[in-house]
Amino acid sequence: QVQLVESGGGSVQAGGSLRLSCAASGDTSITYYMAWFRRAPGKEREGVAAISTTGSSTYYADSVKGRFTISQDNAYNTVYLQMNSLKPEDTAMYYCAASDEGYYNDPLSPTYEYGYWGQGTQVTVSS
């Protein structure tokens, strides 16, 4: 089992920045990817960014490429999402997730399953 706790959400004006953190505990050695997802009211859940737990590969949704950066600190079992140049359309509940499903060519694909989820942290971007 893996437990995930997010922090760092908040309210910011358009163009601003926020950094989300996801602290993982439990048997983190079983995970292959850590990822950030988001869900805005009335919209489908969207995979935002993912990172292999080796740290060698990162993946981004087109909507955030060049603005968001996912990283990890293995010493502290923490994954970060640095969000720059935020837009009102980035407003959503952001969730951290971990997968033990093995390596995959597109870990942000809807067909790839994440079995561990945090409770989420709200990000609100005002115009």
Side-chain angles (χ1 to χ4, degrees):
Q1 288 292 322
V2 177
Q3 295 79 42
L4 304 172
V5 178
E6 304 98 332
S7 61
S11 297
V12 65
Q13 288 192 325
S17 298
L18 283 172
R19 189 176 81 157
L20 306 183
S21 299
C22 173
S25 60
D27 192 4
T28 58
S29 65
I30 66 173
T31 58
Y32 286 80
Y33 295 101
M34 300 286 292
W36 289 94
F37 289 78
R38 66 186 181 187
R39 176 169 278 166
K43 293 188 177 182
E44 295 289 320
R45 187 180 69 193
E46 177 187 19
V48 174
I51 186 167
S52 61
T53 50
T54 61
S56 60
S57 299
T58 56
Y59 308 81
Y60 296 95
D62 288 343
S63 57
V64 305
K65 277 181 183 175
R67 300 188 298 122
F68 290 11
T69 302
I70 189 170
S71 61
Q72 63 184 13
D73 184 336
N74 285 334
Y76 293 97
N77 286 332
T78 301
V79 174
Y80 304 98
L81 185 68
Q82 178 67 43
M83 305 185 295
N84 298 329
S85 302
L86 282 162
K87 304 175 181 180
E89 51 264 43
D90 295 318
T91 295
M93 184 72 80
Y94 282 72
Y95 298 90
C96 178
S99 175
D100 59 1
E101 292 291 315
Y103 291 113
Y104 197 64
N105 61 339
D106 182 7
L108 291 179
S109 166
T111 60
Y112 186 73
E113 292 195 7
Y114 286 81
Y116 307 98
W117 294 84
Q119 296 106 318
T121 185
Q122 178 67 37
V123 171
T124 302
V125 184
S126 59
S127 57

mmCIF file of all heavy atoms in Angstrom, residues 67-98:
data_model
loop_
_atom_site.group_PDB
_atom_site.id
_atom_site.type_symbol
_atom_site.label_atom_id
_atom_site.label_comp_id
_atom_site.label_asym_id
_atom_site.label_seq_id
_atom_site.Cartn_x
_atom_site.Cartn_y
_atom_site.Cartn_z
ATOM 1 N N ARG A 67 5.042 24.953 -19.364
ATOM 2 C CA ARG A 67 4.624 25.755 -18.198
ATOM 3 C C ARG A 67 4.765 24.977 -16.891
ATOM 4 O O ARG A 67 5.073 25.572 -15.856
ATOM 5 C CB ARG A 67 3.174 26.203 -18.364
ATOM 6 C CG ARG A 67 2.915 27.051 -19.598
ATOM 7 C CD ARG A 67 1.500 27.634 -19.590
ATOM 8 N NE ARG A 67 0.474 26.602 -19.607
ATOM 9 C CZ ARG A 67 -0.462 26.471 -18.673
ATOM 10 N NH1 ARG A 67 -0.505 27.305 -17.648
ATOM 11 N NH2 ARG A 67 -1.380 25.518 -18.768
ATOM 12 N N PHE A 68 4.523 23.694 -16.929
ATOM 13 C CA PHE A 68 4.572 22.858 -15.727
ATOM 14 C C PHE A 68 5.805 21.959 -15.785
ATOM 15 O O PHE A 68 6.206 21.506 -16.856
ATOM 16 C CB PHE A 68 3.334 21.973 -15.618
ATOM 17 C CG PHE A 68 2.044 22.693 -15.310
ATOM 18 C CD1 PHE A 68 1.944 24.072 -15.368
ATOM 19 C CD2 PHE A 68 0.923 21.974 -14.967
ATOM 20 C CE1 PHE A 68 0.757 24.732 -15.093
ATOM 21 C CE2 PHE A 68 -0.280 22.598 -14.683
ATOM 22 C CZ PHE A 68 -0.352 23.992 -14.750
ATOM 23 N N THR A 69 6.356 21.677 -14.614
ATOM 24 C CA THR A 69 7.490 20.768 -14.508
ATOM 25 C C THR A 69 7.258 19.810 -13.351
ATOM 26 O O THR A 69 7.005 20.244 -12.224
ATOM 27 C CB THR A 69 8.797 21.527 -14.279
ATOM 28 O OG1 THR A 69 9.008 22.459 -15.347
ATOM 29 C CG2 THR A 69 9.980 20.565 -14.224
ATOM 30 N N ILE A 70 7.359 18.521 -13.649
ATOM 31 C CA ILE A 70 7.254 17.508 -12.605
ATOM 32 C C ILE A 70 8.651 17.059 -12.220
ATOM 33 O O ILE A 70 9.528 16.914 -13.080
ATOM 34 C CB ILE A 70 6.377 16.312 -13.061
ATOM 35 C CG1 ILE A 70 6.091 15.377 -11.892
ATOM 36 C CG2 ILE A 70 7.016 15.580 -14.226
ATOM 37 C CD1 ILE A 70 5.034 14.309 -12.207
ATOM 38 N N SER A 71 8.859 16.865 -10.921
ATOM 39 C CA SER A 71 10.162 16.414 -10.447
ATOM 40 C C SER A 71 9.955 15.598 -9.183
ATOM 41 O O SER A 71 8.847 15.553 -8.627
ATOM 42 C CB SER A 71 11.087 17.601 -10.176
ATOM 43 O OG SER A 71 10.540 18.432 -9.166
ATOM 44 N N GLN A 72 11.014 14.966 -8.747
ATOM 45 C CA GLN A 72 10.881 14.164 -7.538
ATOM 46 C C GLN A 72 12.151 14.226 -6.706
ATOM 47 O O GLN A 72 13.234 14.477 -7.226
ATOM 48 C CB GLN A 72 10.555 12.708 -7.878
ATOM 49 C CG GLN A 72 11.625 11.995 -8.661
ATOM 50 C CD GLN A 72 11.200 10.595 -9.060
ATOM 51 O OE1 GLN A 72 10.032 10.215 -8.975
ATOM 52 N NE2 GLN A 72 12.146 9.796 -9.508
ATOM 53 N N ASP A 73 11.961 14.017 -5.427
ATOM 54 C CA ASP A 73 13.067 13.937 -4.488
ATOM 55 C C ASP A 73 12.960 12.571 -3.829
ATOM 56 O O ASP A 73 12.172 12.383 -2.902
ATOM 57 C CB ASP A 73 12.974 15.068 -3.457
ATOM 58 C CG ASP A 73 14.165 15.079 -2.528
ATOM 59 O OD1 ASP A 73 14.809 14.015 -2.354
ATOM 60 O OD2 ASP A 73 14.449 16.155 -1.970
ATOM 61 N N ASN A 74 13.732 11.634 -4.323
ATOM 62 C CA ASN A 74 13.608 10.273 -3.824
ATOM 63 C C ASN A 74 14.016 10.144 -2.368
ATOM 64 O O ASN A 74 13.528 9.274 -1.649
ATOM 65 C CB ASN A 74 14.425 9.313 -4.683
ATOM 66 C CG ASN A 74 13.755 9.041 -6.015
ATOM 67 O OD1 ASN A 74 12.529 9.135 -6.148
ATOM 68 N ND2 ASN A 74 14.549 8.727 -7.016
ATOM 69 N N ALA A 75 14.890 11.025 -1.934
ATOM 70 C CA ALA A 75 15.324 10.960 -0.539
ATOM 71 C C ALA A 75 14.164 11.214 0.415
ATOM 72 O O ALA A 75 14.147 10.697 1.531
ATOM 73 C CB ALA A 75 16.448 11.961 -0.290
ATOM 74 N N TYR A 76 13.202 12.017 -0.046
ATOM 75 C CA TYR A 76 12.062 12.361 0.793
ATOM 76 C C TYR A 76 10.757 11.774 0.272
ATOM 77 O O TYR A 76 9.685 12.085 0.778
ATOM 78 C CB TYR A 76 11.939 13.875 0.923
ATOM 79 C CG TYR A 76 13.094 14.484 1.685
ATOM 80 C CD1 TYR A 76 14.172 15.029 1.006
ATOM 81 C CD2 TYR A 76 13.119 14.490 3.074
ATOM 82 C CE1 TYR A 76 15.241 15.563 1.691
ATOM 83 C CE2 TYR A 76 14.176 15.027 3.779
ATOM 84 C CZ TYR A 76 15.239 15.569 3.076
ATOM 85 O OH TYR A 76 16.302 16.108 3.764
ATOM 86 N N ASN A 77 10.855 10.903 -0.765
ATOM 87 C CA ASN A 77 9.644 10.298 -1.342
ATOM 88 C C ASN A 77 8.601 11.350 -1.671
ATOM 89 O O ASN A 77 7.418 11.207 -1.336
ATOM 90 C CB ASN A 77 9.052 9.257 -0.389
ATOM 91 C CG ASN A 77 9.876 7.988 -0.358
ATOM 92 O OD1 ASN A 77 10.539 7.634 -1.328
ATOM 93 N ND2 ASN A 77 9.853 7.293 0.763
ATOM 94 N N THR A 78 9.055 12.405 -2.310
ATOM 95 C CA THR A 78 8.151 13.507 -2.623
ATOM 96 C C THR A 78 8.218 13.835 -4.110
ATOM 97 O O THR A 78 9.302 13.860 -4.699
ATOM 98 C CB THR A 78 8.513 14.752 -1.795
ATOM 99 O OG1 THR A 78 8.418 14.421 -0.404
ATOM 100 C CG2 THR A 78 7.566 15.896 -2.093
ATOM 101 N N VAL A 79 7.066 14.079 -4.678
ATOM 102 C CA VAL A 79 6.967 14.502 -6.070
ATOM 103 C C VAL A 79 6.417 15.923 -6.093
ATOM 104 O O VAL A 79 5.513 16.246 -5.306
ATOM 105 C CB VAL A 79 6.058 13.560 -6.879
ATOM 106 C CG1 VAL A 79 5.843 14.088 -8.287
ATOM 107 C CG2 VAL A 79 6.677 12.180 -6.937
ATOM 108 N N TYR A 80 6.951 16.722 -6.976
ATOM 109 C CA TYR A 80 6.548 18.121 -7.073
ATOM 110 C C TYR A 80 5.950 18.417 -8.444
ATOM 111 O O TYR A 80 6.304 17.770 -9.437
ATOM 112 C CB TYR A 80 7.748 19.029 -6.854
ATOM 113 C CG TYR A 80 8.460 18.801 -5.549
ATOM 114 C CD1 TYR A 80 9.616 18.012 -5.495
ATOM 115 C CD2 TYR A 80 7.983 19.361 -4.370
ATOM 116 C CE1 TYR A 80 10.271 17.787 -4.304
ATOM 117 C CE2 TYR A 80 8.649 19.145 -3.168
ATOM 118 C CZ TYR A 80 9.779 18.363 -3.142
ATOM 119 O OH TYR A 80 10.426 18.139 -1.945
ATOM 120 N N LEU A 81 5.091 19.394 -8.471
ATOM 121 C CA LEU A 81 4.600 19.934 -9.736
ATOM 122 C C LEU A 81 4.757 21.451 -9.669
ATOM 123 O O LEU A 81 4.007 22.131 -8.954
ATOM 124 C CB LEU A 81 3.144 19.559 -9.988
ATOM 125 C CG LEU A 81 2.613 19.995 -11.353
ATOM 126 C CD1 LEU A 81 3.306 19.198 -12.468
ATOM 127 C CD2 LEU A 81 1.097 19.810 -11.449
ATOM 128 N N GLN A 82 5.756 21.948 -10.373
ATOM 129 C CA GLN A 82 5.967 23.391 -10.464
ATOM 130 C C GLN A 82 5.102 23.924 -11.588
ATOM 131 O O GLN A 82 5.234 23.491 -12.733
ATOM 132 C CB GLN A 82 7.439 23.699 -10.723
ATOM 133 C CG GLN A 82 7.734 25.174 -10.876
ATOM 134 C CD GLN A 82 7.531 25.961 -9.598
ATOM 135 O OE1 GLN A 82 7.923 25.518 -8.534
ATOM 136 N NE2 GLN A 82 6.884 27.120 -9.704
ATOM 137 N N MET A 83 4.231 24.842 -11.262
ATOM 138 C CA MET A 83 3.288 25.380 -12.239
ATOM 139 C C MET A 83 3.563 26.866 -12.426
ATOM 140 O O MET A 83 3.400 27.651 -11.482
ATOM 141 C CB MET A 83 1.854 25.151 -11.764
ATOM 142 C CG MET A 83 1.533 23.692 -11.457
ATOM 143 S SD MET A 83 -0.191 23.413 -11.036
ATOM 144 C CE MET A 83 -0.313 24.344 -9.522
ATOM 145 N N ASN A 84 3.985 27.218 -13.617
ATOM 146 C CA ASN A 84 4.273 28.610 -13.956
ATOM 147 C C ASN A 84 3.304 29.104 -15.017
ATOM 148 O O ASN A 84 2.638 28.313 -15.681
ATOM 149 C CB ASN A 84 5.707 28.739 -14.462
ATOM 150 C CG ASN A 84 6.739 28.341 -13.432
ATOM 151 O OD1 ASN A 84 6.538 28.504 -12.223
ATOM 152 N ND2 ASN A 84 7.859 27.809 -13.895
ATOM 153 N N SER A 85 3.252 30.406 -15.169
ATOM 154 C CA SER A 85 2.379 31.022 -16.188
ATOM 155 C C SER A 85 0.968 30.456 -16.114
ATOM 156 O O SER A 85 0.373 30.078 -17.125
ATOM 157 C CB SER A 85 2.961 30.802 -17.591
ATOM 158 O OG SER A 85 4.260 31.341 -17.690
ATOM 159 N N LEU A 86 0.447 30.416 -14.921
ATOM 160 C CA LEU A 86 -0.862 29.811 -14.717
ATOM 161 C C LEU A 86 -1.958 30.593 -15.420
ATOM 162 O O LEU A 86 -1.901 31.832 -15.523
ATOM 163 C CB LEU A 86 -1.158 29.704 -13.225
ATOM 164 C CG LEU A 86 -0.444 28.538 -12.529
ATOM 165 C CD1 LEU A 86 -0.408 28.738 -11.025
ATOM 166 C CD2 LEU A 86 -1.121 27.219 -12.872
ATOM 167 N N LYS A 87 -2.945 29.844 -15.896
ATOM 168 C CA LYS A 87 -4.078 30.407 -16.619
ATOM 169 C C LYS A 87 -5.365 30.064 -15.865
ATOM 170 O O LYS A 87 -5.411 29.069 -15.137
ATOM 171 C CB LYS A 87 -4.144 29.809 -18.026
ATOM 172 C CG LYS A 87 -2.882 29.979 -18.843
ATOM 173 C CD LYS A 87 -3.009 29.248 -20.169
ATOM 174 C CE LYS A 87 -1.734 29.369 -21.006
ATOM 175 N NZ LYS A 87 -1.857 28.659 -22.298
ATOM 176 N N PRO A 88 -6.413 30.839 -16.070
ATOM 177 C CA PRO A 88 -7.691 30.505 -15.414
ATOM 178 C C PRO A 88 -8.160 29.089 -15.725
ATOM 179 O O PRO A 88 -8.770 28.431 -14.867
ATOM 180 C CB PRO A 88 -8.644 31.558 -15.972
ATOM 181 C CG PRO A 88 -7.769 32.732 -16.259
ATOM 182 C CD PRO A 88 -6.480 32.139 -16.758
ATOM 183 N N GLU A 89 -7.837 28.597 -16.922
ATOM 184 C CA GLU A 89 -8.258 27.234 -17.287
ATOM 185 C C GLU A 89 -7.477 26.156 -16.551
ATOM 186 O O GLU A 89 -7.798 24.976 -16.675
ATOM 187 C CB GLU A 89 -8.163 27.022 -18.797
ATOM 188 C CG GLU A 89 -6.846 27.404 -19.424
ATOM 189 C CD GLU A 89 -6.874 28.822 -20.011
ATOM 190 O OE1 GLU A 89 -7.408 29.744 -19.358
ATOM 191 O OE2 GLU A 89 -6.326 28.992 -21.134
ATOM 192 N N ASP A 90 -6.463 26.531 -15.803
ATOM 193 C CA ASP A 90 -5.754 25.578 -14.947
ATOM 194 C C ASP A 90 -6.487 25.352 -13.621
ATOM 195 O O ASP A 90 -6.088 24.481 -12.835
ATOM 196 C CB ASP A 90 -4.333 26.060 -14.651
ATOM 197 C CG ASP A 90 -3.460 26.106 -15.890
ATOM 198 O OD1 ASP A 90 -3.529 25.159 -16.705
ATOM 199 O OD2 ASP A 90 -2.712 27.090 -16.035
ATOM 200 N N THR A 91 -7.516 26.126 -13.374
ATOM 201 C CA THR A 91 -8.285 25.971 -12.141
ATOM 202 C C THR A 91 -8.902 24.588 -12.077
ATOM 203 O O THR A 91 -9.607 24.160 -12.991
ATOM 204 C CB THR A 91 -9.388 27.040 -12.065
ATOM 205 O OG1 THR A 91 -8.784 28.335 -11.968
ATOM 206 C CG2 THR A 91 -10.293 26.806 -10.867
ATOM 207 N N ALA A 92 -8.618 23.876 -11.001
ATOM 208 C CA ALA A 92 -9.094 22.501 -10.850
ATOM 209 C C ALA A 92 -8.655 21.969 -9.502
ATOM 210 O O ALA A 92 -7.835 22.574 -8.803
ATOM 211 C CB ALA A 92 -8.531 21.603 -11.953
ATOM 212 N N MET A 93 -9.191 20.806 -9.155
ATOM 213 C CA MET A 93 -8.659 20.032 -8.050
ATOM 214 C C MET A 93 -7.546 19.174 -8.624
ATOM 215 O O MET A 93 -7.754 18.481 -9.625
ATOM 216 C CB MET A 93 -9.738 19.169 -7.420
ATOM 217 C CG MET A 93 -9.286 18.408 -6.192
ATOM 218 S SD MET A 93 -9.037 19.478 -4.775
ATOM 219 C CE MET A 93 -10.740 19.678 -4.236
ATOM 220 N N TYR A 94 -6.380 19.242 -8.003
ATOM 221 C CA TYR A 94 -5.227 18.487 -8.480
ATOM 222 C C TYR A 94 -4.977 17.297 -7.557
ATOM 223 O O TYR A 94 -4.957 17.443 -6.324
ATOM 224 C CB TYR A 94 -3.994 19.390 -8.515
ATOM 225 C CG TYR A 94 -3.993 20.312 -9.705
ATOM 226 C CD1 TYR A 94 -4.875 21.387 -9.776
ATOM 227 C CD2 TYR A 94 -3.119 20.119 -10.767
ATOM 228 C CE1 TYR A 94 -4.896 22.236 -10.869
ATOM 229 C CE2 TYR A 94 -3.126 20.964 -11.864
ATOM 230 C CZ TYR A 94 -4.013 22.010 -11.920
ATOM 231 O OH TYR A 94 -4.032 22.842 -13.004
ATOM 232 N N TYR A 95 -4.788 16.152 -8.174
ATOM 233 C CA TYR A 95 -4.593 14.914 -7.437
ATOM 234 C C TYR A 95 -3.240 14.292 -7.792
ATOM 235 O O TYR A 95 -2.853 14.253 -8.964
ATOM 236 C CB TYR A 95 -5.681 13.902 -7.784
ATOM 237 C CG TYR A 95 -7.075 14.334 -7.423
ATOM 238 C CD1 TYR A 95 -7.852 15.039 -8.333
ATOM 239 C CD2 TYR A 95 -7.611 14.049 -6.172
ATOM 240 C CE1 TYR A 95 -9.137 15.446 -8.011
ATOM 241 C CE2 TYR A 95 -8.898 14.443 -5.839
ATOM 242 C CZ TYR A 95 -9.649 15.142 -6.763
ATOM 243 O OH TYR A 95 -10.918 15.547 -6.438
ATOM 244 N N CYS A 96 -2.588 13.783 -6.777
ATOM 245 C CA CYS A 96 -1.380 12.992 -6.963
ATOM 246 C C CYS A 96 -1.773 11.527 -7.052
ATOM 247 O O CYS A 96 -2.704 11.085 -6.362
ATOM 248 C CB CYS A 96 -0.450 13.231 -5.773
ATOM 249 S SG CYS A 96 1.080 12.302 -5.795
ATOM 250 N N ALA A 97 -1.065 10.785 -7.895
ATOM 251 C CA ALA A 97 -1.382 9.374 -8.065
ATOM 252 C C ALA A 97 -0.100 8.572 -8.240
ATOM 253 O O ALA A 97 0.917 9.102 -8.706
ATOM 254 C CB ALA A 97 -2.292 9.172 -9.272
ATOM 255 N N ALA A 98 -0.184 7.306 -7.875
ATOM 256 C CA ALA A 98 0.952 6.395 -8.039
ATOM 257 C C ALA A 98 0.466 5.095 -8.666
ATOM 258 O O ALA A 98 -0.668 4.659 -8.419
ATOM 259 C CB ALA A 98 1.603 6.110 -6.686
#
